[in-house]
Amino acid sequence: MSATTLDSILEGRRSQPQQLIEVLQDVQDQYGYIPEEAMKTVARELGISIMEVYRVTNFYNAFSLKPKGKNVITICTGTACHVRGADLLINQARGQLNVKPGNTTTDGIFTLECVNCVGACAVGPVVIHNGTYKHHMTPGKLRKAIDQAGGGIKKKEASHGKAEAI
Amino acid sequence: MAKLKRSEDLKTLRKSLKKKEKDFRSTVIIPNGTCCQASDSQAVIDSLKKELARQGLEKDVSIRLTGCHGFCEQEPIIIIEPGNLFYCQVTPKDAGEIVSKTIMKGVVIDRLLYRDPVSGKKVRTEAEIPFYQAQDRQLLSYNKFIDPCSIEDYIATGGYDALVKTLAGITPEKVIEEIKASGLRGRGGGGFHTGRKWEECQEVSGDEKYVICNADEGDPGAYMDRCLLEANPQLIIEGMMIGAWAVGARQGYIYVRHEYPLAVKHARIAIDQARKYGLLGENILGSSFSFDVQVARGGGAFVCGESTALMASIEGKVGEPRPKDIHTVKSGLWNKPTVLNNVETWANVPAIIMNGAGWFAAKGTAGSKGTKIFALTGQVKNTGLVEVAMGTPLHDIVYGIGGGPQKGNAFKAVQTGGPSGGCLPVSRFDLPVDFDTLGEAGSMMGSGGMVVMDEKTCMVDVAKYFLSFLQDESCGKCVPCRMGVDRMLEIVTDITEGRGRSEQIELLEELAETIGQTALCGLGKSAPNPVLSTLRYFADEYAVHINEKRCPAGVCKELISYEIDSEKCTGCGLCVRACPSEAIKGKKKQAHVIDMQECRKCGICESECKFEAIMVS
């Protein structure tokens, strides 16, 4: 964590407790999560108790207490995406990455997230991969996207060649 | 960018902007909102720009990147003016042909035209498209003329005239009278009379007051406000300025959810440009009126759409609602008098001032005036944003503008009003959509989300979906919402997983009633609505789940199983590769079989199979 970056985020906002959420937004954008150290500095510089900073960080979905993976796969679970099969996409990603939504793979390559609605309802179901929106997603398209990003558990029986008759 | 010191400066600026427009041979309009970008509009823009440069036409053809025009299903879209030529589902590969044929020679490329699914005919211009023709686009029609990052575009279309008119001689009292006479009601869902809200705030003494634009559109399945703020941010600012003038506020906030990064960006750019022109700041246009706006980003909490929680969030605190024994118009942000309206409400203000209350009140029903934007989504052919006069029957929106069901399935219901609303069955599609009628039918109009569901949607699952959403989003401050929604979810989960008992229905209703009466905030009070409306109209589906342990729509995992139809299966192996549980086995070109021990019923095989060989039973 670079002290200079945090310093520039706090510039012009010191001793202004009402700036807490804006500051945390910028910290989240910069570091991809809210490091403990940053919380302490923010508390001190804005004049808020560390408990309050933690409470706010914990309350809002925008803030993460853990670092995220190299690839953040966000599946929109808004109503329109839900009725068009967002659950299939969650199942696909869970099965392929072996993580539950809200978690990061042990190798740190993927974070799987769900978001309640990103407002691209008409072209759903929508998946966001590192900030890029993808429309009309299907499990097949998602599988390819995850494969191309270099992840997923390699399946033993990927093709007919190795499949055994049952 | 020189500051506009008097209202005449605005007129002079507009004249000079109009002259510049004439320098171009044609204008290519490309919507580039969030939904457009999801459909790869940026790639189309890049390749068109490249192609224009390659053919040396950069100076003859202007490209205007606008917000979304509403016909999201057909994106990426381009409109070529003059001529109003409308191309849809454009790909980057089409750029060369568009430039060399259409722009250079005026030749229409047939394959890029929109085909009306009802008549089967190709349509040449945007104006002739039935989806648009059936609407009354008072707010959305501006989007195509405006690059949201250009205040000049907004000014060129008559922007800030309403502010000039206000400052030139409409007293705050008269502004409030006008808004009251127009019958404008809050578009966020509450439907409170905007003029009355302003009046109450204006009557409170004190020179520190605030106006807030609520752009925390948290209802899943709704994106009207995102579109308006992304596409026409200056309109929102102008509306807020007129409101601020009326109530006596000097500072405004636009509270935008962080899940809308483009709206945040455009709002910030708009504020910055308005400040540079002196349209925000001290002594605006030489008047005594001073006003400024700031963007506050939401932190991704649904409850922050509630006014008191939103204000707590702007103050940098946890977004928990407080009891409203003292209204926010008297004691709101930092305990000061505050007027909070949502994006679409503010967007309606300038036109009411320009055209008069009578003009606005002429549209709509007795209790709900003007037009309303709806986000038409789900299992319907034409998805997108639809603006119609209040009181338009649901049927006209879903079948007429929406074009009917997708994939030949039958409609089952429309969910309106998000997690505070409910599901209305096909038999109620005759209802006019306004603030009052849908409420009487057990749903609500809400902010304008309209998710269409067909026979493949399980209504018990929908109820469970909303309960899970609300359980996740409950701020936890009051017991009825925190514990009550939790218990309701437990019961509905039992029903979807085959453990349901018929006596649980009564308990569900009792819980719903208690939560409705005792929760602290409006969101908690309305939380049981999705369950109550599905119980009211789809009791038979609940009964089948409970008594027969069956899900007729084939959605509830615990009650269904998948099987491969050996007649239809071609042995292509797609499902074998798709199955994350490795539960499907079989030799190439021979019918496959699902191993029920391994199958996790994720449904991926069914969605991937090209031959409809996966059967749900």
Side-chain angles (χ1 to χ4, degrees):
Chain A
M1 199 184 78
S2 133
T4 6
T5 320
L6 195 54
D7 215 42
S8 67
I9 289 172
L10 286 162
E11 187 69 42
R13 288 162 162 173
R14 289 189 168 82
S15 307
Q16 295 174 46
Q18 76 274 16
Q19 290 286 345
L20 176 60
I21 294 171
E22 282 295 314
V23 167
L24 291 175
Q25 296 266 17
D26 289 344
V27 173
Q28 175 75 38
D29 285 350
Q30 279 295 324
Y31 303 104
Y33 76 115
I34 313 284
E36 195 183 326
E37 227 177 295
M39 268 195 263
K40 286 180 186 159
T41 314
V42 168
R44 191 177 61 238
E45 296 293 327
L46 296 186
I48 315 171
S49 71
I50 181 80
M51 265 312 293
E52 184 60 16
V53 175
Y54 178 76
R55 191 165 164 250
V56 168
T57 309
N58 214 20
F59 181 83
Y60 292 101
N61 291 331
F63 309 130
S64 158
L65 292 164
K66 290 179 284 187
K68 291 189 184 178
K70 205 171 121 197
N71 291 279
V72 181
I73 306 277
T74 310
I75 298 171
C76 179
T77 56
T79 322
C81 291
H82 177 77
V83 303
R84 281 189 175 184
D87 271 354
L88 296 177
L89 302 173
I90 298 172
N91 289 335
Q92 172 65 43
R94 276 185 72 159
Q96 204 176 351
L97 298 170
N98 202 23
V99 283
K100 284 183 186 166
N103 289 288
T104 302
T105 51
T106 42
D107 57 9
I109 295 180
F110 285 93
T111 296
L112 179 61
E113 285 181 344
C114 290
V115 59
N116 278 331
C117 184
V118 294
C121 317
V123 294
V126 174
V127 171
I128 306 164
H129 179 197
N130 286 346
T132 305
Y133 291 67
K134 293 172 189 286
H135 65 111
H136 293 107
M137 280 304 272
T138 62
K141 285 192 211 168
L142 182 59
R143 186 175 70 244
K144 276 182 203 147
I146 292 174
D147 277 343
Q148 277 168 9
I153 304 159
K154 294 281 177 266
K155 285 171 64 174
K156 279 175 270 166
E157 295 174 84
S159 68
H160 279 107
K162 290 178 191 166
E164 285 170 19
I166 46 171
Chain B
M1 208 181 268
K3 284 208 172 181
L4 307 172
K5 292 189 179 115
R6 298 166 306 149
S7 53
E8 287 74 30
D9 295 351
L10 188 75
K11 282 183 197 155
T12 321
L13 173 66
R14 188 172 297 137
K15 266 186 204 159
S16 73
L17 294 171
K18 292 239 156 113
K19 265 188 207 156
K20 271 189 203 165
E21 265 176 36
K22 290 177 187 154
D23 296 345
F24 294 104
R25 178 162 121 181
S26 55
T27 302
V28 181
I29 301 164
I30 313 176
N32 196 27
T34 300
C35 43
C36 319
Q37 289 181 5
S39 304
D40 298 328
S41 59
Q42 193 56 50
V44 173
I45 295 162
D46 293 343
S47 74
L48 258 175
K49 280 187 174 166
K50 216 164 129 189
E51 198 55 39
L52 285 171
R54 201 180 65 84
Q55 302 198 28
L57 290 165
E58 289 154 301
K59 285 182 184 158
D60 300 323
V61 179
S62 86
I63 289 186
R64 185 190 302 140
L65 304 183
T66 68
C68 174
H69 294 198
F71 205 2
C72 311
E73 190 72 49
Q74 295 299 323
E75 281 157 356
I77 287 166
I78 70 168
I79 298 158
I80 302 168
E81 298 283 9
N84 197 231
L85 189 64
F86 182 91
Y87 285 158
C88 56
Q89 298 186 351
V90 178
T91 66
K93 283 182 196 153
D94 300 321
E97 212 179 338
I98 291 170
V99 175
S100 56
K101 282 193 181 162
T102 309
I103 293 175
M104 293 290 285
K105 297 177 190 152
V107 177
V108 175
I109 305 165
D110 194 64
R111 71 162 193 283
L112 296 176
L113 294 177
Y114 171 68
R115 182 195 290 275
D116 175 23
V118 181
S119 67
K121 283 182 186 156
K122 291 274 179 97
V123 181
R124 259 176 86 108
T125 65
E126 187 189 27
E128 292 169 306
I129 290 175
F131 176 80
Y132 290 125
Q133 276 183 331
Q135 299 184 41
D136 186 359
R137 296 161 62 84
Q138 296 298 328
L139 295 173
L140 292 175
S141 60
Y142 285 103
N143 290 5
K144 75 179 244 196
F145 301 105
I146 294 165
D147 173 347
C149 299
S150 160
I151 188 172
E152 291 83 3
D153 278 2
Y154 181 67
I155 291 171
T157 57
Y160 286 107
D161 271 353
L163 177 75
V164 169
K165 190 176 170 185
T166 306
L167 296 180
I170 313 182
T171 60
E173 289 76 14
K174 274 192 184 158
V175 170
I176 290 170
E177 275 314 310
E178 199 70 20
I179 299 295
K180 272 169 77 179
S182 74
L184 176 65
R185 292 171 68 180
R187 264 54 180 158
F192 195 80
H193 286 272
T194 308
R196 268 209 331 252
K197 196 187 257 186
W198 292 14
E199 187 177 47
E200 283 176 29
C201 185
Q202 197 241 3
E203 284 168 353
V204 184
S205 58
D207 53 3
E208 199 182 339
K209 295 181 185 178
Y210 297 98
V211 292
I212 298 175
C213 171
N214 183 352
D216 192 57
E217 193 171 43
D219 280 7
Y223 64 103
M224 303 71 55
D225 293 345
R226 170 183 70 66
C227 174
L228 278 174
L229 192 57
E230 268 179 21
N232 201 353
Q234 300 290 351
L235 177 70
I236 315 302
I237 296 173
E238 189 179 359
M240 289 175 77
M241 291 172 86
I242 295 164
W245 163 259
V247 303
R250 285 174 55 96
Q251 178 66 45
Y253 288 91
I254 301 178
Y255 186 87
V256 200
R257 59 200 296 254
H258 84 113
E259 293 92 335
Y260 288 175
L262 196 64
V264 172
K265 183 181 160 197
H266 287 179
R268 283 182 171 158
I269 292 172
I271 291 169
D272 196 40
Q273 291 181 344
R275 281 182 189 149
K276 282 184 179 150
Y277 271 119
L279 289 163
L280 285 175
E282 297 293 317
N283 300 105
I284 295 163
L285 297 173
S287 71
S288 59
F289 177 57
S290 302
F291 181 68
D292 199 15
V293 181
Q294 268 181 42
V295 169
R297 276 172 294 174
F302 171 68
V303 70
C304 286
E306 198 278 342
S307 59
T308 57
L310 185 151
M311 290 173 201
S313 182
I314 293 182
E315 291 171 12
K317 297 174 192 158
V318 159
E320 283 177 350
R322 63 158 176 80
K324 278 191 188 166
D325 42 348
I326 302 171
H327 287 288
T328 50
V329 284
K330 296 196 170 81
S331 176
L333 188 61
W334 288 298
N335 301 321
K336 300 290 177 195
T338 306
V339 160
L340 177 136
N341 288 125
N342 96 320
V343 175
E344 194 181 342
T345 313
W346 289 120
N348 273 299
V349 171
I352 294 173
I353 297 297
M354 281 315 285
N355 305 324
W359 165 84
F360 187 80
K363 290 179 196 293
T365 61
S368 309
K369 302 295 185 191
T371 60
K372 176 80 192 77
I373 306 176
F374 296 98
L376 187 62
T377 62
Q379 309 291 14
V380 62
K381 268 189 197 133
N382 300 328
T383 56
L385 290 180
V386 172
E387 185 177 356
V388 288
M390 289 272 195
T392 303
L394 207 45
H395 182 279
D396 292 9
I397 299 174
V398 176
Y399 285 97
I401 301 169
Q406 265 188 339
K407 301 173 195 165
N409 294 333
F411 280 149
K412 188 187 262 185
V414 168
Q415 206 285 335
T416 63
S420 306
C423 298
L424 295 165
V426 180
S427 60
R428 307 306 305 267
F429 279 14
D430 57 328
L431 289 173
V433 184
D434 63 19
F435 284 109
D436 311 306
T437 319
L438 293 194
E440 286 157 22
S443 183
M444 66 185 283
M445 188 180 77
S447 64
M450 234 177 228
V451 185
V452 183
M453 297 163 180
D454 67 11
E455 56 195 349
K456 299 266 180 180
T457 311
C458 167
M459 300 317 286
V460 187
D461 175 71
V462 169
K464 185 172 117 181
Y465 164 81
F466 280 111
L467 288 171
S468 315
F469 173 87
L470 290 157
Q471 184 215 33
D472 188 35
E473 291 291 350
S474 172
C475 77
K477 186 169 176 173
C478 75
V479 177
C481 178
R482 185 179 72 238
M483 300 303 290
V485 171
D486 213 35
R487 292 288 85 78
M488 285 181 82
L489 176 60
E490 215 170 75
I491 295 170
V492 174
T493 305
D494 276 352
I495 296 172
T496 59
E497 293 184 355
R499 297 183 298 273
R501 300 184 313 273
S502 42
E503 63 268 25
Q504 283 179 312
I505 298 289
E506 212 177 304
L507 184 56
L508 260 184
E509 286 167 336
E510 201 182 313
L511 275 165
E513 197 184 329
T514 310
I515 298 169
Q517 286 172 356
T518 56
L520 178 64
C521 76
L523 297 180
K525 283 191 170 79
S526 59
N529 284 355
V531 174
L532 287 176
S533 67
T534 47
L535 274 174
R536 179 169 166 184
Y537 295 113
F538 302 95
D540 52 334
E541 275 196 50
Y542 280 87
V544 174
H545 280 73
I546 292 170
N547 302 329
E548 300 173 31
K549 311 291 177 211
R550 202 162 58 78
C551 175
V555 174
C556 298
K557 274 188 198 176
E558 302 299 323
L559 306 179
I560 57 168
S561 61
Y562 290 93
E563 217 179 313
I564 295 176
D565 183 342
S566 56
E567 297 288 313
K568 287 182 179 171
C569 179
T570 62
C572 72
L574 192 62
C575 57
V576 177
R577 290 191 291 279
C579 176
S581 317
E582 299 175 15
I584 304 178
K585 308 213 162 59
K587 283 184 178 168
K588 202 173 180 179
K589 292 188 181 170
Q590 283 180 17
H592 291 4
V593 181
I594 300 174
D595 179 351
M596 293 316 292
Q597 297 299 316
E598 298 292 330
C599 176
R600 280 189 251 157
K601 300 178 188 174
C602 68
I604 292 172
C605 54
E606 191 200 7
S607 86
E608 292 291 287
C609 179
K610 304 251 189 293
F611 307 97
E612 293 178 359
I614 314 277
M615 299 182 298
V616 187
S617 55

